[in-house]
Amino acid sequence: MDNITHSVIGLGVGELLHRSLPPEQQEAPQRTRRALFLFSAWFASNAPDLDLFLTRLMPRPFGYMLQHRGHTHTLLLAIPQALLVLALLWLLWPGARRLLKTSQPARIGLALCLLLGLALHMGMDFLNSYGLHPFYPFDNRWLFGDMVFIVEPMFWVLLGVPVIMALRTRLLKGVLLAGLAAALCFFAYKNYLAPLALGVLLALAALMAVRQHRTGVRGRGALLLGFALSATFIGMQGAASALGRARVEAALQRIDPGTRVWDVAMTAFPSHPLCWTYVSLDSKTDAYTLRRGTMSLLPASLAPAACPAGLAEPGDGGGQLAPGIAVSAQATGSLAALRALQSTNCHADAWLRFGRMPKLSGSSLTDVRFNPDMQDNFTTVQLEQFSGKPCPRYVPGWERPRADMLGLPPAGSQH
């Protein structure tokens, strides 16, 4: 997810924990505890993305693909990260150190802020089609949620508005709320949000603002409601994603009953459970086919072309797979060629530790999840430029997402 979402979730966790634990006996320690909880939960909710500094360990595009959402996004390294943040707070914040020495609620709350912040970062990153591998090294497979767009303003509203309303400076609250409303309107203007979605988000923002205003400085109602509605939204998106994936698979089987569907990656439109982008991968004999397009889960009322134009697929790759499932781009490849490349080219093998939807065109590899019409994107590698060069160093041991299609043994059975 985007770091605005990570931040508002962390701040929401910190504020909720502060309001849920018994208050400190004096006002000054109470203010220190609130600041400590807000900062630590916010920092922990963003800390795993510090792995961006590790992307320099490998040449482009391998560094970003293989090091981001890497080791710092694993449960094994969550505890060392939490201990590191705790050590920095202890050394650099004397007021917090004094509070932690004397207050058990502060110690409990800080531990929860750090652990929940790190866990929720990984949980939120799981929700989109990019994926992560939280159980490495015990299970090094990529996990893909395929539920929520990577920038989802629903969380900004449901959790960001209560956090803003909990601020004590009226001017700052007004500026931030106006900025949020302006951002939503701008997204609608750029056709990233449907007009109905914009109306729902603004109405929810007003509801959350009123609810938080009424709860007072110790009330938790708005924050609890925000987290409950966020969980409901995620559940709804998960059900919609599963339905869309099943429809694509069924359509591919109807086109050719002998085809094998390897995967369908689903990407949601922001705050619009009916509109989705999909990428499918299927094969028959040696040939495999990639298809990308826009889907409406309610085609009788909403055609794919009526989904927000800013994120719709502009191409025309072959009409429709089925009612409500439009195809914008299509590519084919050879399974034998891809398997040979993986077994003989170490740079291609490193790339395939990330690539979920691999398009092989000459000596170029592209994961077509990330750009409309299967255009080149940050994953594109021209293998010719690495011809004769040493194999990349620091290649993590992530399981290849297409190990199934490559005919490789399952994870844990390679020895």
Short mmCIF file of all heavy atoms in Angstrom, two decimals, residues 32-84:
data_model
loop_
_atom_site.label_atom_id
_atom_site.label_comp_id
_atom_site.label_asym_id
_atom_site.label_seq_id
_atom_site.Cartn_x
_atom_site.Cartn_y
_atom_site.Cartn_z
N THR A 32 2.90 12.79 27.01
CA THR A 32 4.08 12.08 26.51
C THR A 32 3.70 10.71 25.96
O THR A 32 4.19 10.28 24.91
CB THR A 32 5.13 11.93 27.62
OG1 THR A 32 5.53 13.21 28.07
CG2 THR A 32 6.35 11.16 27.12
N ARG A 33 2.81 10.02 26.69
CA ARG A 33 2.40 8.68 26.25
C ARG A 33 1.68 8.75 24.91
O ARG A 33 1.93 7.91 24.02
CB ARG A 33 1.49 8.03 27.30
CG ARG A 33 1.29 6.54 27.03
CD ARG A 33 0.38 5.91 28.06
NE ARG A 33 -1.04 6.14 27.74
CZ ARG A 33 -2.02 5.63 28.47
NH1 ARG A 33 -1.76 4.93 29.58
NH2 ARG A 33 -3.28 5.86 28.14
N ARG A 34 0.81 9.72 24.75
CA ARG A 34 0.10 9.83 23.47
C ARG A 34 1.07 10.08 22.33
O ARG A 34 0.99 9.45 21.27
CB ARG A 34 -0.93 10.96 23.55
CG ARG A 34 -1.73 11.16 22.26
CD ARG A 34 -2.88 12.12 22.46
NE ARG A 34 -3.68 12.24 21.25
CZ ARG A 34 -3.53 13.21 20.34
NH1 ARG A 34 -2.61 14.16 20.54
NH2 ARG A 34 -4.29 13.25 19.28
N ALA A 35 2.01 11.00 22.55
CA ALA A 35 3.00 11.28 21.50
C ALA A 35 3.84 10.04 21.21
O ALA A 35 4.16 9.74 20.05
CB ALA A 35 3.89 12.44 21.94
N LEU A 36 4.21 9.30 22.26
CA LEU A 36 5.01 8.10 22.08
C LEU A 36 4.25 7.05 21.29
O LEU A 36 4.81 6.44 20.36
CB LEU A 36 5.40 7.54 23.46
CG LEU A 36 6.15 6.21 23.47
CD1 LEU A 36 7.50 6.35 22.80
CD2 LEU A 36 6.29 5.69 24.90
N PHE A 37 2.99 6.83 21.61
CA PHE A 37 2.20 5.82 20.91
C PHE A 37 1.99 6.21 19.44
O PHE A 37 2.11 5.38 18.54
CB PHE A 37 0.85 5.63 21.59
CG PHE A 37 0.90 4.85 22.87
CD1 PHE A 37 2.11 4.54 23.48
CD2 PHE A 37 -0.27 4.43 23.49
CE1 PHE A 37 2.15 3.82 24.67
CE2 PHE A 37 -0.24 3.71 24.67
CZ PHE A 37 0.98 3.41 25.27
N LEU A 38 1.66 7.47 19.22
CA LEU A 38 1.43 7.91 17.84
C LEU A 38 2.69 7.77 17.00
O LEU A 38 2.66 7.26 15.87
CB LEU A 38 0.93 9.36 17.82
CG LEU A 38 -0.49 9.60 18.35
CD1 LEU A 38 -0.79 11.08 18.39
CD2 LEU A 38 -1.52 8.88 17.51
N PHE A 39 3.82 8.23 17.54
CA PHE A 39 5.05 8.17 16.77
C PHE A 39 5.49 6.73 16.53
O PHE A 39 5.86 6.36 15.41
CB PHE A 39 6.17 8.93 17.47
CG PHE A 39 7.50 8.82 16.75
CD1 PHE A 39 7.77 9.62 15.66
CD2 PHE A 39 8.45 7.89 17.16
CE1 PHE A 39 8.98 9.51 14.97
CE2 PHE A 39 9.65 7.76 16.49
CZ PHE A 39 9.92 8.58 15.39
N SER A 40 5.48 5.91 17.57
CA SER A 40 5.99 4.55 17.43
C SER A 40 5.12 3.72 16.49
O SER A 40 5.64 2.94 15.67
CB SER A 40 6.10 3.87 18.80
OG SER A 40 4.84 3.81 19.44
N ALA A 41 3.80 3.86 16.60
CA ALA A 41 2.92 3.10 15.69
C ALA A 41 3.07 3.59 14.26
O ALA A 41 3.07 2.79 13.31
CB ALA A 41 1.47 3.22 16.16
N TRP A 42 3.19 4.92 14.10
CA TRP A 42 3.41 5.45 12.74
C TRP A 42 4.73 4.96 12.17
O TRP A 42 4.79 4.51 11.02
CB TRP A 42 3.42 6.99 12.80
CG TRP A 42 3.95 7.60 11.52
CD1 TRP A 42 3.27 7.81 10.37
CD2 TRP A 42 5.30 8.05 11.29
NE1 TRP A 42 4.10 8.37 9.42
CE2 TRP A 42 5.35 8.52 9.97
CE3 TRP A 42 6.45 8.10 12.08
CZ2 TRP A 42 6.52 9.03 9.41
CZ3 TRP A 42 7.61 8.59 11.52
CH2 TRP A 42 7.65 9.06 10.20
N PHE A 43 5.79 5.01 12.96
CA PHE A 43 7.09 4.60 12.46
C PHE A 43 7.10 3.11 12.13
O PHE A 43 7.61 2.69 11.08
CB PHE A 43 8.18 4.92 13.49
CG PHE A 43 9.58 4.77 12.95
CD1 PHE A 43 10.20 5.83 12.32
CD2 PHE A 43 10.26 3.57 13.07
CE1 PHE A 43 11.49 5.69 11.80
CE2 PHE A 43 11.54 3.41 12.56
CZ PHE A 43 12.15 4.49 11.93
N ALA A 44 6.54 2.30 13.02
CA ALA A 44 6.51 0.86 12.77
C ALA A 44 5.68 0.52 11.54
O ALA A 44 6.00 -0.43 10.81
CB ALA A 44 5.95 0.13 14.00
N SER A 45 4.63 1.29 11.29
CA SER A 45 3.78 1.05 10.13
C SER A 45 4.46 1.40 8.82
O SER A 45 3.98 1.02 7.74
CB SER A 45 2.47 1.84 10.25
OG SER A 45 1.66 1.30 11.27
N ASN A 46 5.56 2.12 8.88
CA ASN A 46 6.31 2.47 7.67
C ASN A 46 7.69 1.83 7.61
O ASN A 46 8.31 1.79 6.54
CB ASN A 46 6.46 3.99 7.57
CG ASN A 46 5.17 4.69 7.20
OD1 ASN A 46 4.78 4.74 6.04
ND2 ASN A 46 4.48 5.21 8.20
N ALA A 47 8.18 1.32 8.74
CA ALA A 47 9.57 0.85 8.83
C ALA A 47 9.94 -0.22 7.80
O ALA A 47 11.05 -0.18 7.25
CB ALA A 47 9.85 0.34 10.24
N PRO A 48 9.07 -1.20 7.50
CA PRO A 48 9.50 -2.22 6.53
C PRO A 48 9.89 -1.65 5.17
O PRO A 48 10.70 -2.26 4.46
CB PRO A 48 8.26 -3.13 6.42
CG PRO A 48 7.62 -3.02 7.76
CD PRO A 48 7.79 -1.57 8.15
N ASP A 49 9.36 -0.49 4.80
CA ASP A 49 9.70 0.09 3.50
C ASP A 49 11.10 0.71 3.47
O ASP A 49 11.53 1.21 2.42
CB ASP A 49 8.66 1.13 3.09
CG ASP A 49 7.39 0.48 2.56
OD1 ASP A 49 7.44 -0.71 2.18
OD2 ASP A 49 6.34 1.15 2.52
N LEU A 50 11.80 0.67 4.60
CA LEU A 50 13.20 1.09 4.58
C LEU A 50 14.04 0.13 3.75
O LEU A 50 15.21 0.43 3.45
CB LEU A 50 13.75 1.17 6.01
CG LEU A 50 13.15 2.30 6.87
CD1 LEU A 50 13.66 2.19 8.30
CD2 LEU A 50 13.51 3.66 6.29
N ASP A 51 13.47 -1.00 3.34
CA ASP A 51 14.21 -1.90 2.46
C ASP A 51 14.47 -1.28 1.09
O ASP A 51 15.23 -1.84 0.28
CB ASP A 51 13.49 -3.24 2.31
CG ASP A 51 12.12 -3.13 1.65
OD1 ASP A 51 11.74 -2.03 1.20
OD2 ASP A 51 11.40 -4.15 1.61
N LEU A 52 13.87 -0.14 0.80
CA LEU A 52 14.18 0.55 -0.45
C LEU A 52 15.67 0.89 -0.56
O LEU A 52 16.21 0.99 -1.67
CB LEU A 52 13.33 1.82 -0.57
CG LEU A 52 11.84 1.59 -0.83
CD1 LEU A 52 11.06 2.89 -0.68
CD2 LEU A 52 11.62 1.00 -2.22
N PHE A 53 16.33 1.07 0.60
CA PHE A 53 17.77 1.31 0.56
C PHE A 53 18.53 0.08 0.06
O PHE A 53 19.66 0.21 -0.44
CB PHE A 53 18.28 1.72 1.95
CG PHE A 53 17.82 3.08 2.38
CD1 PHE A 53 16.81 3.22 3.33
CD2 PHE A 53 18.38 4.22 1.84
CE1 PHE A 53 16.38 4.48 3.73
CE2 PHE A 53 17.96 5.48 2.23
CZ PHE A 53 16.96 5.61 3.18
N LEU A 54 17.94 -1.10 0.20
CA LEU A 54 18.61 -2.32 -0.24
C LEU A 54 18.51 -2.54 -1.75
O LEU A 54 19.19 -3.41 -2.29
CB LEU A 54 18.01 -3.53 0.48
CG LEU A 54 18.11 -3.53 2.01
CD1 LEU A 54 17.42 -4.76 2.59
CD2 LEU A 54 19.57 -3.49 2.45
N THR A 55 17.66 -1.78 -2.42
CA THR A 55 17.51 -1.98 -3.86
C THR A 55 18.80 -1.67 -4.61
O THR A 55 18.97 -2.11 -5.75
CB THR A 55 16.37 -1.10 -4.41
OG1 THR A 55 16.67 0.28 -4.17
CG2 THR A 55 15.05 -1.45 -3.72
N ARG A 56 19.73 -0.93 -3.99
CA ARG A 56 21.00 -0.61 -4.64
C ARG A 56 21.96 -1.78 -4.65
O ARG A 56 23.03 -1.70 -5.26
CB ARG A 56 21.63 0.59 -3.94
CG ARG A 56 20.76 1.84 -3.96
CD ARG A 56 21.41 2.98 -3.19
NE ARG A 56 20.54 4.15 -3.13
CZ ARG A 56 20.85 5.28 -2.50
NH1 ARG A 56 22.01 5.38 -1.88
NH2 ARG A 56 20.00 6.30 -2.49
N LEU A 57 21.61 -2.86 -3.96
CA LEU A 57 22.49 -4.02 -3.93
C LEU A 57 22.56 -4.73 -5.28
O LEU A 57 23.50 -5.49 -5.54
CB LEU A 57 22.01 -5.02 -2.88
CG LEU A 57 22.13 -4.60 -1.41
CD1 LEU A 57 21.46 -5.64 -0.52
CD2 LEU A 57 23.58 -4.42 -1.03
N MET A 58 21.55 -4.51 -6.14
CA MET A 58 21.48 -5.21 -7.41
C MET A 58 21.22 -4.21 -8.53
O MET A 58 20.65 -3.14 -8.29
CB MET A 58 20.34 -6.25 -7.37
CG MET A 58 20.46 -7.26 -6.24
SD MET A 58 19.06 -8.42 -6.20
CE MET A 58 19.44 -9.41 -7.65
N PRO A 59 21.61 -4.52 -9.75
CA PRO A 59 21.35 -3.61 -10.86
C PRO A 59 19.87 -3.54 -11.18
O PRO A 59 19.10 -4.45 -10.84
CB PRO A 59 22.15 -4.23 -12.02
CG PRO A 59 22.24 -5.69 -11.67
CD PRO A 59 22.34 -5.74 -10.17
N ARG A 60 19.47 -2.47 -11.83
CA ARG A 60 18.08 -2.34 -12.25
C ARG A 60 17.79 -3.36 -13.34
O ARG A 60 18.64 -3.64 -14.19
CB ARG A 60 17.83 -0.93 -12.80
CG ARG A 60 17.92 0.16 -11.75
CD ARG A 60 17.62 1.52 -12.38
NE ARG A 60 17.68 2.58 -11.38
CZ ARG A 60 17.47 3.86 -11.67
NH1 ARG A 60 17.18 4.22 -12.92
NH2 ARG A 60 17.54 4.77 -10.73
N PRO A 61 16.58 -3.91 -13.35
CA PRO A 61 15.46 -3.69 -12.44
C PRO A 61 15.43 -4.66 -11.26
O PRO A 61 14.48 -4.68 -10.50
CB PRO A 61 14.26 -3.92 -13.35
CG PRO A 61 14.71 -5.05 -14.23
CD PRO A 61 16.18 -4.78 -14.48
N PHE A 62 16.48 -5.48 -11.14
CA PHE A 62 16.45 -6.56 -10.16
C PHE A 62 16.37 -6.04 -8.72
O PHE A 62 15.74 -6.66 -7.87
CB PHE A 62 17.68 -7.46 -10.33
CG PHE A 62 17.79 -8.06 -11.69
CD1 PHE A 62 18.69 -7.57 -12.63
CD2 PHE A 62 16.98 -9.13 -12.06
CE1 PHE A 62 18.79 -8.12 -13.88
CE2 PHE A 62 17.07 -9.69 -13.32
CZ PHE A 62 17.98 -9.18 -14.25
N GLY A 63 17.06 -4.93 -8.43
CA GLY A 63 17.10 -4.44 -7.06
C GLY A 63 15.73 -4.15 -6.50
O GLY A 63 15.37 -4.63 -5.41
N TYR A 64 14.93 -3.39 -7.25
CA TYR A 64 13.60 -3.04 -6.75
C TYR A 64 12.70 -4.27 -6.70
O TYR A 64 11.97 -4.50 -5.73
CB TYR A 64 12.96 -1.98 -7.64
CG TYR A 64 11.67 -1.42 -7.07
CD1 TYR A 64 11.70 -0.34 -6.21
CD2 TYR A 64 10.44 -1.99 -7.38
CE1 TYR A 64 10.52 0.18 -5.66
CE2 TYR A 64 9.27 -1.49 -6.85
CZ TYR A 64 9.31 -0.41 -6.00
OH TYR A 64 8.15 0.08 -5.46
N MET A 65 12.76 -5.10 -7.73
CA MET A 65 11.87 -6.26 -7.80
C MET A 65 12.13 -7.25 -6.67
O MET A 65 11.18 -7.79 -6.08
CB MET A 65 12.06 -6.97 -9.14
CG MET A 65 11.59 -6.18 -10.35
SD MET A 65 12.19 -6.90 -11.90
CE MET A 65 11.61 -8.58 -11.76
N LEU A 66 13.39 -7.49 -6.35
CA LEU A 66 13.73 -8.57 -5.44
C LEU A 66 14.04 -8.13 -4.01
O LEU A 66 13.97 -8.94 -3.09
CB LEU A 66 14.93 -9.35 -6.00
CG LEU A 66 14.65 -10.10 -7.30
CD1 LEU A 66 15.93 -10.70 -7.86
CD2 LEU A 66 13.61 -11.19 -7.09
N GLN A 67 14.41 -6.86 -3.83
CA GLN A 67 14.76 -6.40 -2.48
C GLN A 67 13.63 -5.64 -1.80
O GLN A 67 13.51 -5.68 -0.57
CB GLN A 67 16.02 -5.53 -2.53
CG GLN A 67 17.26 -6.23 -3.08
CD GLN A 67 17.72 -7.41 -2.24
OE1 GLN A 67 17.36 -7.54 -1.07
NE2 GLN A 67 18.53 -8.28 -2.82
N HIS A 68 12.80 -4.91 -2.58
CA HIS A 68 11.65 -4.24 -1.98
C HIS A 68 10.58 -5.28 -1.66
O HIS A 68 10.40 -6.26 -2.38
CB HIS A 68 11.10 -3.18 -2.92
CG HIS A 68 9.93 -2.44 -2.34
ND1 HIS A 68 9.92 -1.96 -1.06
CD2 HIS A 68 8.72 -2.11 -2.87
CE1 HIS A 68 8.77 -1.36 -0.81
NE2 HIS A 68 8.02 -1.44 -1.90
N ARG A 69 9.87 -5.06 -0.55
CA ARG A 69 8.96 -6.07 0.01
C ARG A 69 9.70 -7.38 0.22
O ARG A 69 9.17 -8.46 -0.05
CB ARG A 69 7.74 -6.28 -0.89
CG ARG A 69 6.84 -5.06 -0.96
CD ARG A 69 5.42 -5.46 -1.26
NE ARG A 69 4.58 -4.31 -1.49
CZ ARG A 69 3.28 -4.37 -1.78
NH1 ARG A 69 2.69 -5.55 -1.85
NH2 ARG A 69 2.57 -3.29 -1.99
N GLY A 70 10.91 -7.25 0.70
CA GLY A 70 11.76 -8.41 0.88
C GLY A 70 11.89 -8.81 2.33
O GLY A 70 10.90 -9.06 3.02
N HIS A 71 13.12 -8.84 2.82
CA HIS A 71 13.38 -9.40 4.15
C HIS A 71 12.70 -8.60 5.27
O HIS A 71 12.27 -9.19 6.27
CB HIS A 71 14.88 -9.46 4.39
CG HIS A 71 15.59 -10.41 3.47
ND1 HIS A 71 16.10 -10.01 2.26
CD2 HIS A 71 15.83 -11.74 3.57
CE1 HIS A 71 16.65 -11.07 1.66
NE2 HIS A 71 16.50 -12.12 2.43
N THR A 72 12.60 -7.29 5.11
CA THR A 72 11.96 -6.50 6.17
C THR A 72 10.45 -6.70 6.20
O THR A 72 9.80 -6.26 7.14
CB THR A 72 12.26 -5.00 5.99
OG1 THR A 72 11.79 -4.57 4.71
CG2 THR A 72 13.76 -4.73 6.11
N HIS A 73 9.92 -7.36 5.19
CA HIS A 73 8.48 -7.67 5.14
C HIS A 73 8.22 -9.12 5.54
O HIS A 73 7.31 -9.77 5.02
CB HIS A 73 7.93 -7.40 3.74
CG HIS A 73 7.82 -5.95 3.39
ND1 HIS A 73 8.93 -5.15 3.22
CD2 HIS A 73 6.74 -5.15 3.18
CE1 HIS A 73 8.54 -3.92 2.92
NE2 HIS A 73 7.22 -3.90 2.89
N THR A 74 9.02 -9.65 6.45
CA THR A 74 8.83 -11.00 6.94
C THR A 74 8.59 -10.98 8.44
O THR A 74 9.11 -10.11 9.15
CB THR A 74 10.06 -11.88 6.64
OG1 THR A 74 11.20 -11.35 7.33
CG2 THR A 74 10.36 -11.91 5.15
N LEU A 75 7.82 -11.94 8.90
CA LEU A 75 7.53 -12.02 10.34
C LEU A 75 8.79 -12.29 11.15
O LEU A 75 8.92 -11.83 12.29
CB LEU A 75 6.50 -13.11 10.58
CG LEU A 75 5.09 -12.85 10.02
CD1 LEU A 75 4.22 -14.08 10.20
CD2 LEU A 75 4.45 -11.65 10.70
N LEU A 76 9.74 -13.02 10.55
CA LEU A 76 10.96 -13.34 11.28
C LEU A 76 11.73 -12.08 11.65
O LEU A 76 12.31 -12.00 12.75
CB LEU A 76 11.84 -14.25 10.42
CG LEU A 76 13.14 -14.73 11.08
CD1 LEU A 76 12.83 -15.63 12.27
CD2 LEU A 76 14.01 -15.47 10.07
N LEU A 77 11.73 -11.09 10.78
CA LEU A 77 12.47 -9.86 11.05
C LEU A 77 11.61 -8.77 11.67
O LEU A 77 12.09 -7.65 11.88
CB LEU A 77 13.13 -9.35 9.77
CG LEU A 77 14.34 -10.15 9.29
CD1 LEU A 77 14.98 -9.47 8.08
CD2 LEU A 77 15.37 -10.33 10.38
N ALA A 78 10.35 -9.04 11.97
CA ALA A 78 9.52 -8.03 12.62
C ALA A 78 10.02 -7.74 14.03
O ALA A 78 10.07 -6.58 14.46
CB ALA A 78 8.06 -8.49 12.65
N ILE A 79 10.39 -8.78 14.76
CA ILE A 79 10.84 -8.57 16.14
C ILE A 79 12.16 -7.79 16.20
O ILE A 79 12.27 -6.83 16.98
CB ILE A 79 10.95 -9.93 16.88
CG1 ILE A 79 9.55 -10.53 17.05
CG2 ILE A 79 11.63 -9.75 18.23
CD1 ILE A 79 9.52 -11.88 17.72
N PRO A 80 13.18 -8.12 15.39
CA PRO A 80 14.38 -7.27 15.39
C PRO A 80 14.09 -5.82 15.03
O PRO A 80 14.69 -4.90 15.60
CB PRO A 80 15.28 -7.94 14.37
CG PRO A 80 14.86 -9.36 14.34
CD PRO A 80 13.38 -9.34 14.59
N GLN A 81 13.16 -5.60 14.09
CA GLN A 81 12.79 -4.22 13.74
C GLN A 81 12.16 -3.52 14.94
O GLN A 81 12.46 -2.35 15.23
CB GLN A 81 11.84 -4.21 12.56
CG GLN A 81 12.47 -4.59 11.23
CD GLN A 81 11.47 -4.55 10.09
OE1 GLN A 81 11.15 -3.48 9.56
NE2 GLN A 81 10.96 -5.71 9.71
N ALA A 82 11.26 -4.23 15.64
CA ALA A 82 10.61 -3.64 16.80
C ALA A 82 11.64 -3.32 17.88
O ALA A 82 11.58 -2.25 18.51
CB ALA A 82 9.55 -4.60 17.35
N LEU A 83 12.59 -4.21 18.10
CA LEU A 83 13.62 -3.97 19.12
C LEU A 83 14.52 -2.80 18.73
O LEU A 83 14.95 -2.02 19.60
CB LEU A 83 14.45 -5.24 19.32
CG LEU A 83 13.71 -6.42 19.96
CD1 LEU A 83 14.61 -7.66 20.00
CD2 LEU A 83 13.22 -6.07 21.36
N LEU A 84 14.79 -2.66 17.45
CA LEU A 84 15.61 -1.53 17.00
C LEU A 84 14.90 -0.21 17.25
O LEU A 84 15.50 0.75 17.75
CB LEU A 84 15.95 -1.69 15.51
CG LEU A 84 16.75 -0.55 14.88
CD1 LEU A 84 18.10 -0.38 15.56
CD2 LEU A 84 16.92 -0.79 13.38
#
